[in-house]
Amino acid sequence: MIEKISMLRAAALDKIKQAASSGEVEELRVRLLGKKGELTEMLKDLKNMAIEERKQFGQEANELKNELTGFLEAKFSELSANDVKKSLSSGSSFDISLPGTQFKLGSLHPVTIVQKEIERIFTGMGFNIVDGPEAEEEFYNFEALNIPKHHPARDMQDTYWLENGSLLRTHTSPCQVRAMQKYGAPLKVIAPGRCFRNESTDASHENTFFQLEGMMIDKNVSIANLIYVMKLLLSEVFNRDVKIRLRPGFFPFVEPGFELDLNCMICGGKGCPTCKHSGWIELLPCGMVHPNVLRYGGIDPEEYTGFAFGLGLTRLAMMKYGISDIRVLNSGDLRAMEQFSVR
Ligand code: PHE
């Protein structure tokens, strides 16, 4: 047996020495040490041997295996280096100075960046983040928000209806009612999400956009709390004092209701297509939650009051980054999106 091993050793070393290419070395490795290789086959005889012989034979075979592996590896790297040299000198088109394959890293969408920032501000104030369905029930989108079937306020929020009677939500306000029903009072939540309207599109209107709803309900919550939170929010988002104005605004689900307008940052208030030449951008409708809405949410309006707001996330992103056309944001044009990325 021992003789067999030394014969195999001599023959193998000879062949390794003579190998002319890295491919040949690999073939040899398989032929000698592979699953059905010569050495492997030899080891199968082990089981028929007496214990002493088996020990000795096993040891020698293992040594040979290690030895051959070392030789094969050395020969392989020697020949592969040769392969490169050969292809370089043969003038073939192997250019080691060519740049490698570039993998592009993704980047966050401007709306996502703004959303995350606002989430950080509100969670810091103890608000929870909640969610709601984009395909919403008519009840939550309208009825429970004090907008009954034939109310003219429905006209302002024309939307897409689904065959099963649901609709694509026109605002994130349905999340108010869902949150009240689920968690009761007191309540501090925000609900960011995608909304839809049947709009003709222009520089500041899209059929798909993002809002962030906010709601705070507790005993003795007043307009003062609302104004404080809104001011804090905007100064954090813009990192500076922003010019705002409050106008009365009508929304059936708040009483009183306000429109908080932001001085247009694209034109500095002079007037441009983004602000419809008014110098102001409607950014933040808000108000005190209507008693009917509290009741729909299962909360007693005699005991609790609250405020709610619907921040236009898409508009805010446009203001923050100076994007003058809303359509860019849904275009999927990477050249536009990548500029704002924080990776
Ligand atoms: N949901 C309203 C809209 O989209 C905005 C709003 C939210 C107004 C909360 C008041 C309070 O037009």
Side-chain angles (χ1 to χ4, degrees):
M1 271 330 242
I2 300 300
E3 221 169 88
K4 256 185 165 177
I5 285 203
S6 52
M7 271 166 63
L8 177 63
R9 180 174 183 278
L13 289 184
D14 203 39
K15 278 184 207 143
I16 295 175
K17 227 183 262 169
Q18 284 172 19
S21 72
S22 52
E24 250 175 70
V25 178
E26 175 59 12
E27 258 171 47
L28 269 176
R29 190 190 61 76
V30 175
R31 191 134 44 94
L32 294 165
L33 308 177
K35 255 192 189 150
K36 290 194 173 149
E38 289 174 41
L39 187 62
T40 322
E41 288 296 323
M42 235 186 239
L43 281 169
K44 284 187 185 152
D45 291 341
L46 268 178
K47 58 179 182 299
N48 306 325
M49 293 179 195
I51 206 147
E52 261 315 301
E53 201 186 356
R54 192 189 300 175
K55 236 181 171 178
Q56 202 197 349
F57 180 76
Q59 200 184 342
E60 300 249 351
N62 249 331
E63 274 166 19
L64 177 58
K65 189 176 169 192
N66 291 338
E67 195 183 0
L68 290 183
T69 309
F71 276 119
L72 285 163
E73 275 171 10
K75 191 74 180 174
F76 188 86
S77 42
E78 178 195 324
L79 290 174
S80 340
N82 275 349
D83 288 348
V84 176
K85 270 190 219 141
K86 238 188 262 163
S87 83
L88 277 179
S89 61
S90 72
S92 70
S93 57
F94 181 78
D95 180 356
I96 54 166
S97 70
L98 276 179
T101 314
Q102 293 209 355
F103 294 99
K104 272 200 161 183
L105 283 179
S107 58
L108 293 178
H109 191 281
V111 171
T112 310
I113 298 172
V114 174
Q115 177 185 329
K116 296 228 183 272
E117 190 175 350
I118 295 177
E119 286 177 357
R120 180 185 60 76
I121 296 168
F122 275 101
T123 48
M125 291 192 279
F127 282 65
N128 287 316
I129 303 169
V130 296
D131 205 0
E134 290 174 4
E136 182 56 281
E137 291 168 35
E138 185 181 354
F139 172 78
Y140 286 106
N141 198 80
F142 291 127
E143 252 93 350
L145 292 169
N146 209 23
I147 315 177
K149 267 234 154 57
H150 302 292
H151 196 289
R154 285 202 181 192
D155 287 351
M156 291 174 347
Q157 303 200 358
D158 189 12
T159 188
Y160 304 95
W161 293 81
L162 307 181
E163 273 167 11
N164 66 4
S166 298
L167 50 83
L168 296 187
R169 67 176 175 194
T170 56
H171 46 185
T172 41
S173 299
C175 300
Q176 289 184 19
V177 187
R178 288 184 176 274
M180 284 189 283
Q181 288 182 344
K182 189 159 177 196
Y183 300 109
L187 183 70
K188 285 202 282 184
V189 289
I190 53 169
R194 190 183 271 117
C195 306
F196 310 85
R197 290 197 196 171
N198 188 4
E199 297 262 15
S200 25
T201 56
D202 61 30
S204 55
H205 292 88
E206 252 288 18
N207 51 30
T208 306
F209 55 96
F210 285 80
Q211 288 189 339
L212 184 137
E213 196 79 8
M215 181 176 229
M216 176 174 172
I217 295 175
D218 208 333
K219 294 190 171 148
N220 302 319
V221 171
S222 72
I223 297 175
N225 301 117
L226 165 64
I227 292 174
Y228 175 79
V229 173
M230 295 300 98
K231 274 195 171 159
L232 188 80
L233 164 68
L234 293 174
S235 61
E236 287 253 352
V237 169
F238 290 102
N239 256 333
R240 58 174 148 143
D241 268 349
V242 289
K243 243 172 130 183
I244 56 168
R245 75 177 182 190
L246 264 179
R247 293 179 283 127
F250 174 70
F251 303 93
F253 37 97
V254 283
E255 181 58 39
F258 309 104
E259 285 285 3
L260 190 152
D261 296 345
L262 182 67
N263 198 244
C264 181
M265 287 185 181
I266 305 275
C267 61
K270 283 195 209 79
C272 68
T274 307
C275 59
K276 291 192 212 133
H277 304 282
S278 70
W280 295 93
I281 293 269
E282 233 180 80
L283 184 67
L284 232 171
C286 50
M288 302 304 292
V289 184
H290 195 288
N292 286 351
V293 178
L294 289 172
R295 274 189 213 103
Y296 272 117
I299 291 173
D300 181 2
E302 299 300 328
E303 199 181 349
Y304 288 100
T305 49
F307 67 75
F309 61 89
L311 178 73
L313 264 189
T314 303
R315 283 219 181 135
L316 191 61
M318 289 169 71
M319 285 288 103
K320 191 168 161 90
Y321 294 110
I323 301 168
S324 56
D325 195 319
I326 190 171
R327 290 165 290 196
V328 170
L329 289 169
N330 284 353
S331 70
D333 187 337
L334 291 181
R335 289 169 309 175
M337 299 301 110
E338 282 169 350
Q339 301 172 52
F340 318 102
S341 71
V342 274
R343 293 205 168 108

